Amino acid sequence: MPVFCCLFLDFSHLLPALDGDAKTMNFLQEVVDIMLAYIVESFDRSTKVIDFHYPNELLQRNNWELSDEPETLDDILISCRATLKYAIKTAHPRYFNQLSTGLDMVGLAADWLTSTANTNMFTYEVAPVFVLLEYVTLKKMREIIGWQEGRGDGIFSPGGAISNMYAMLLARYKMFPEVKEKGMSSAPRLVAFTSEHSHFSIKKGAAALGIGTESVICIKADERGKMIPSDLERRIIEAKQKGYVPFFVSATAGTTVYGAFDPLMAIADICKKHDIWMHVDGAWGGSLLMSRKHRWKLNGVERANSMTWNPHKMMAVPLQCSALLVREEVRLSASCNQMQACYLFQQDKQYDLSYDTGDKALQCGRHVDIFKLWLMWRAKVLRALCLVCVLRERTLMLSAGHVSLQPQHTNVCFWYLPPGVRYLEDKVEKMKRLHKVAPVIKARMMEYGTTMVSYQPQGDKVNFFRMVISNPAATFEDIDFLIEEIERLGQDL
């Protein structure tokens, strides 16, 4: 027996062992049965969203440690069941905690098939079908954005934060290509601009690329969370007067908290005037491009140089699935990132080398994220993919004691004013006590396991609930349940 098999002696009766077919099929069937039971349970409203335990309790409840000796297959199956038992049921109709919720059966099937194929996206040589599916899907997404004949470039990345960083990287390379070889010392002081309500990944990308978080200038947002174009232009002019070089503006289509859409047309005018790369972070709201009714919120996106679009959010594609779309042709991405490693990207292959996309990415190994989106797209009519805001107005139908902020997307932000806070006349004391309400109610709902919803402060606003609806399983009754549960858990506050 080869040395590398010694670690797996206990599993020597499974494939690739000789005559391991039947035992492998039995083992995998048991695993599938565990997963199917979990899926059915996830959609059952009588089950908990979460079986919550504090970290120290959960560590003690099961043996999670890695031992020096292999376990039996029965032990492995027990571990599979335990893992799912304590996992959050993100497909549960009453899970509203994150932007990514729900579980699509076609997308799930695609994920299983992808793991079975177990290949890498760096070359056509090892992922011929998946590379072609990425090519045709990215082209279709560019057409939907409004770029002529779907021209341009793009790539799927490990999430919206990385897609946003790719956009910043391309913008810097286009203006100062020498930075790739000589580093930031070869460029002047670069500055980027984004809304004060934008995603933290813009600053994180600047930090990772050596531009620095202090070089990201946050632009004021109006009372609804939209970037104010006049403040953007004022800050651009101010930066130029200081000798800085503006190179990147990130507008947001669907902010994380309020779900606000920046005025893209006005921002595009400013970027064109000052010759600055315009990026649209549509990780959350980009999927409204699929909606005839709501795509107007992204008017002007076709004028952007790049766009981040996360189908794993509103389109319910299983995590993860994030695309960076670029209006520039392929040459820019390739020149910016390629290292031409001869052990992967040989130049004398027998096929069109433009399909070897790995050198456009910062990664070497790249997961196959495309198949989930492509297969779901094939299974559904185009407009059905966008889970538009059909439930948002219902969340405003709150009973006495609730105050809402006007929603623009499927984000609905609101406070719950319990009886002990509702009639306080001292405004300072009222805000101080209101700030503590959402965290207490959230902790209680997790301990009961009945539902989950996020909360946070924003600017001068104390903690409020941020209700996000993107789960296709949710109904009006589930929204009503959440409101009633908040009231039940907060009556004594």
Side-chain angles (χ1 to χ4, degrees):
M1 180 179 294
V3 173
F4 60 79
C5 289
C6 291
L7 292 175
F8 306 100
L9 284 174
D10 198 55
F11 291 83
S12 59
H13 48 293
L14 297 180
L15 288 174
L18 293 176
D19 302 321
D21 304 32
K23 291 181 179 179
T24 297
M25 294 304 104
N26 288 337
F27 169 67
L28 292 179
Q29 184 60 59
E30 291 199 58
V31 173
V32 169
D33 290 344
I34 291 170
M35 291 190 290
L36 293 177
Y38 177 79
I39 291 167
V40 172
E41 188 178 87
S42 293
F43 290 96
D44 184 352
R45 287 172 175 80
S46 68
T47 64
K48 291 183 175 183
V49 174
I50 174 177
D51 185 359
F52 179 76
H53 298 274
Y54 288 95
N56 60 327
E57 296 174 343
L58 193 55
L59 280 171
Q60 295 170 11
R61 187 168 282 263
N62 287 79
N63 179 18
W64 307 105
E65 297 297 326
L66 296 171
S67 63
D68 295 331
E69 298 297 326
E71 297 182 345
T72 66
L73 284 180
D74 287 339
D75 291 330
I76 295 302
L77 292 172
I78 289 172
S79 295
C80 291
R81 293 188 184 92
T83 300
L84 290 182
K85 173 177 170 57
Y86 300 110
I88 308 295
K89 296 185 180 70
T90 57
H92 199 289
R94 292 172 180 170
Y95 175 79
F96 304 105
N97 205 66
Q98 312 300 145
L99 302 183
S100 304
T101 63
L103 184 61
D104 183 272
M105 297 302 108
V106 175
L108 177 62
D111 223 358
W112 289 351
L113 288 166
T114 297
S115 293
T116 302
N118 192 33
T119 193
N120 205 313
M121 283 294 288
F122 40 51
T123 63
Y124 178 83
E125 178 181 340
V126 298
V129 176
F130 296 134
V131 165
L132 292 180
L133 297 184
E134 185 174 73
Y135 171 82
V136 299
T137 305
L138 288 171
K139 184 174 185 293
K140 186 68 175 180
M141 294 171 82
R142 292 193 298 267
E143 289 173 0
I144 291 170
I145 290 173
W147 295 333
Q148 188 176 13
E149 298 178 355
R151 293 175 184 166
D153 196 11
I155 198 165
F156 281 85
S157 77
I162 302 300
S163 292
N164 287 338
M165 188 177 74
Y166 270 129
M168 188 176 286
L169 180 65
L170 291 174
R172 183 181 68 180
Y173 181 79
K174 185 175 183 182
M175 186 172 285
F176 294 101
E178 60 270 25
V179 171
K180 178 180 177 180
E181 295 181 353
K182 297 180 181 179
M184 284 297 294
S185 61
S186 65
R189 171 74 180 273
L190 302 180
V191 288
F193 304 83
T194 191
S195 164
E196 61 182 344
H197 285 201
S198 66
H199 194 263
F200 70 86
S201 59
I202 304 302
K203 284 192 173 182
K204 182 169 281 192
L209 296 176
I211 295 166
T213 58
E214 291 184 358
S215 294
V216 177
I217 298 172
C218 292
I219 307 304
K220 291 179 181 177
D222 64 20
E223 68 281 356
R224 299 191 67 193
K226 299 171 180 285
M227 184 193 292
I228 300 173
S230 60
D231 190 54
L232 171 63
E233 184 155 34
R234 180 183 70 84
R235 299 301 296 275
I236 290 173
I237 293 170
E238 189 179 88
K240 287 182 175 181
Q241 290 172 344
K242 292 179 179 178
Y244 303 155
V245 178
F247 80 108
F248 183 80
V249 171
S250 179
T252 309
T255 58
T256 305
V257 181
Y258 291 165
F261 289 78
D262 288 341
L264 303 184
M265 198 67 77
I267 292 170
D269 288 340
I270 295 169
C271 289
K272 181 179 180 181
K273 178 179 177 180
H274 293 278
D275 194 23
I276 302 173
W277 182 289
M278 177 183 171
H279 174 64
V280 174
D281 178 5
W284 175 219
S287 295
L288 291 190
L289 288 172
M290 307 288 275
S291 168
R292 294 174 183 173
K293 182 178 180 181
H294 294 280
R295 69 168 289 138
W296 64 269
K297 295 176 182 178
L298 288 98
N299 284 349
V301 68
E302 70 281 356
R303 297 177 62 188
N305 298 91
S306 58
M307 177 185 178
T308 292
W309 181 349
N310 284 10
H312 68 231
K313 290 189 170 74
M314 284 209 76
M315 292 168 70
V317 176
L319 286 163
Q320 61 194 7
C321 188
S322 174
L324 174 72
L325 294 310
V326 184
R327 183 153 51 94
E328 297 276 345
E329 296 292 343
V330 176
R331 293 186 301 275
L332 182 67
S333 297
S335 299
C336 179
N337 295 318
Q338 69 184 2
M339 292 296 160
Q340 298 178 320
C342 61
Y343 46 82
L344 272 181
F345 308 113
Q346 301 92 340
Q347 298 302 297
D348 50 1
K349 294 180 180 179
Q350 75 273 32
Y351 56 80
D352 182 349
L353 297 179
S354 67
Y355 291 103
D356 282 359
T357 58
D359 220 9
K360 293 192 299 183
L362 292 177
Q363 307 158 256
C364 177
R366 191 160 65 90
H367 189 259
V368 177
D369 294 323
I370 180 58
F371 192 53
K372 298 169 289 190
L373 173 60
W374 179 85
L375 201 64
M376 287 175 63
W377 206 316
R378 298 271 285 194
K380 304 168 185 286
V381 293
L382 193 64
R383 58 184 177 272
L385 276 170
C386 183
L387 307 175
V388 294
C389 318
V390 294
L391 298 179
R392 67 176 180 171
E393 297 304 328
R394 177 61 71 94
T395 60
L396 293 176
M397 298 171 60
L398 307 174
S399 60
H402 296 81
V403 183
S404 298
L405 303 174
Q406 181 63 32
Q408 303 166 62
H409 193 22
T410 64
N411 306 47
V412 180
C413 301
F414 62 93
W415 293 277
Y416 168 63
L417 279 65
V421 174
R422 196 173 304 171
Y423 304 110
L424 282 176
E425 294 184 2
D426 185 330
K427 290 185 178 180
V428 175
E429 178 64 19
K430 188 173 186 175
M431 290 299 103
K432 181 179 178 181
R433 291 179 61 178
L434 182 59
H435 185 66
K436 299 177 181 178
V437 169
V440 171
I441 293 177
K442 171 67 176 290
R444 290 176 178 179
M445 66 172 57
M446 288 182 68
E447 289 173 0
Y448 278 101
T450 52
T451 185
M452 285 182 69
V453 63
S454 184
Y455 74 86
Q456 71 167 83
Q458 178 73 39
D460 61 353
K461 295 179 175 64
V462 298
N463 278 323
F464 53 83
F465 288 108
R466 184 197 63 163
M467 173 79 176
V468 179
I469 305 168
S470 60
N471 190 339
T475 65
F476 293 142
E477 288 73 20
D478 297 313
I479 307 302
D480 293 338
F481 175 86
L482 173 74
I483 301 305
E484 292 167 3
E485 190 70 351
I486 288 174
E487 291 184 314
R488 180 181 76 84
L489 297 173
Q491 278 297 309
D492 64 332
L493 298 178

